[in-house]
Amino acid sequence: MASSLTLGSTDDTMFCHLCPNVRASAYCVDCRIYLCPSCESQHKKDHRLLTGKKMPTRHGTSTDDLNKCPDHQKEEIKFFCTAHDTVCCTVCTTLHPNGCQIKYIPDICKDYPKSADYKNQTANFKTTENITSNCLQNIDNCIKKVDQLSSSQVEKLRKFKALIIAYLDQREKELLYEIQLTRDQDLATLKQLHTSATTIKSELSKALANMTTHEDNSNDLFIATKKAQSLVNKLKFALQDITSKTKCREYDLQRDPLVETLLKNKDGLAQLVMSPGNGNFFML
């Protein structure tokens, strides 16, 4: 892979990577190589080519980095080891000679754009690119699904909460009605008993007043007293009945044991249950 550095160029003149000592007329953005007019005409039509002043210069491109050995930064890549399928520099061939089959790159790269290896590598890159695109699409789909699932579950939780609140409101309404009904019934009974007792007291007061009125006449006093005695005996039975009915019903609001258990259970409202094996993540 000859470069301006390989050829010792001191200006911005660029040379074909495929044809030694031949000035470049174009630069392939996709392959990141310079091409002479002959190679340019034979290069793949779907590649992006820059020509003339649009070509990057040695000061404005990463061509130097492309030709630098990754293990020996001051050395240029000039060789290819077919045994290890890797490019290398002169130092590499010196330090690791065992088992290597070294080829000089300018000798083997002629017509490389037409070679089966280049076509296979291009196909491999495109296949990997498609896999990557599918992977990204799958990730995007999963991200969308995660958001949708989250939103649906939040809505489900809020509907369940609303259902519980509606149930509690209804149950509260029923219990309040029951408490109010019990109060009204007890008050009605007690007020009726109170009225009866008040009437008895009034009759007793009248009877006593009638007796007092006839204290000056023994005959009339005797009659009035005996009548009052008969009335008192009757009223005693009425008072006994009132007394037996004068009760205040006791009641207490007891919470449902199931609700008590729910309140004590931190996960009682609902649980987030993960479904095993339902992921659709793309695997390489």
Side-chain angles (χ1 to χ4, degrees):
M1 297 173 64
S3 70
S4 59
L5 292 178
T6 305
L7 298 171
S9 176
T10 58
D11 55 16
D12 288 339
T13 301
M14 306 308 297
F15 295 88
C16 181
H17 278 82
L18 307 179
C19 300
N21 301 321
V22 179
R23 290 179 180 273
S25 61
Y27 176 79
C28 179
V29 178
D30 299 303
C31 300
R32 298 175 64 185
I33 61 174
Y34 289 90
L35 304 168
C36 65
S38 177
C39 293
E40 177 185 352
S41 63
Q42 299 175 11
H43 207 60
K44 297 192 69 171
K45 300 299 182 181
D46 57 337
H47 281 214
R48 295 172 296 169
L49 299 180
L50 299 178
T51 60
K53 294 182 179 180
K54 293 183 180 180
M55 285 195 304
T57 65
R58 68 191 301 272
H59 301 294
T61 69
S62 58
T63 305
D64 293 346
D65 293 333
L66 176 67
N67 292 321
K68 282 183 179 180
C69 178
D71 297 325
H72 311 97
Q73 291 296 315
K74 294 182 179 181
E75 298 294 328
E76 296 178 15
I77 297 174
K78 297 181 180 180
F79 303 99
F80 176 71
C81 177
T82 57
H84 298 98
D85 194 26
T86 183
V87 293
C88 55
C89 67
T90 304
V91 177
C92 292
T93 61
T94 304
L95 297 178
H96 307 286
N98 296 331
C100 290
Q101 297 178 10
I102 304 300
K103 301 289 185 181
Y104 185 48
I105 291 177
D107 293 339
I108 64 173
C109 69
K110 292 181 180 180
D111 296 328
Y112 184 69
K114 297 180 180 180
S115 66
D117 179 67
Y118 179 70
K119 292 180 180 179
N120 290 336
Q121 292 300 327
T122 302
N124 183 40
F125 273 102
K126 289 184 177 180
T127 300
T128 305
E129 185 180 27
N130 290 335
I131 293 175
T132 304
S133 298
N134 292 336
C135 181
L136 289 172
Q137 182 62 49
N138 191 63
I139 292 173
D140 290 339
N141 292 339
C142 286
I143 291 174
K144 184 178 180 180
K145 181 178 179 181
V146 166
D147 286 336
Q148 291 176 343
L149 182 61
S150 174
S151 299
S152 66
Q153 295 307 303
V154 169
E155 182 180 1
K156 184 178 180 181
L157 175 60
R158 287 176 177 169
K159 285 183 177 180
F160 185 43
K161 175 185 175 183
L163 183 64
I164 293 175
I165 292 175
Y167 168 78
L168 292 176
D169 288 342
Q170 179 62 30
R171 194 71 188 104
E172 179 189 34
K173 183 179 180 181
E174 293 171 354
L175 289 170
L176 288 174
Y177 174 78
E178 188 176 350
I179 292 172
Q180 185 67 35
L181 180 63
T182 302
R183 174 183 178 275
D184 293 344
Q185 290 176 344
D186 289 350
L187 286 178
T189 300
L190 291 172
K191 286 180 179 180
Q192 185 177 3
L193 293 174
H194 187 275
T195 300
S196 299
T198 301
T199 301
I200 291 174
K201 183 178 181 181
S202 178
E203 290 181 3
L204 288 173
S205 297
K206 289 180 181 180
L208 181 60
N210 189 40
M211 290 170 57
T212 304
T213 302
H214 297 88
E215 285 182 348
D216 294 338
N217 188 324
S218 297
N219 185 64
D220 293 341
L221 178 61
F222 179 81
I223 295 172
T225 300
K226 292 304 179 179
K227 286 184 176 182
Q229 182 179 354
S230 176
L231 176 63
V232 168
N233 290 333
K234 292 180 180 179
L235 293 178
K236 281 184 178 180
F237 287 108
L239 283 173
Q240 289 177 357
D241 182 62
I242 292 174
T243 301
S244 65
K245 294 178 179 179
T246 304
K247 295 179 181 179
C248 179
R249 288 190 293 177
E250 297 287 341
Y251 55 88
D252 180 54
L253 183 68
Q254 295 184 353
R255 294 190 286 193
D256 192 300
L258 293 177
V259 178
E260 288 289 342
T261 303
L262 174 64
L263 294 175
K264 293 178 181 178
N265 187 353
K266 64 178 182 179
D267 298 325
L269 179 62
Q271 292 182 355
L272 196 63
V273 180
M274 306 302 292
S275 300
N278 65 343
N280 294 317
F281 288 100
F282 184 83
M283 301 298 294
L284 293 176

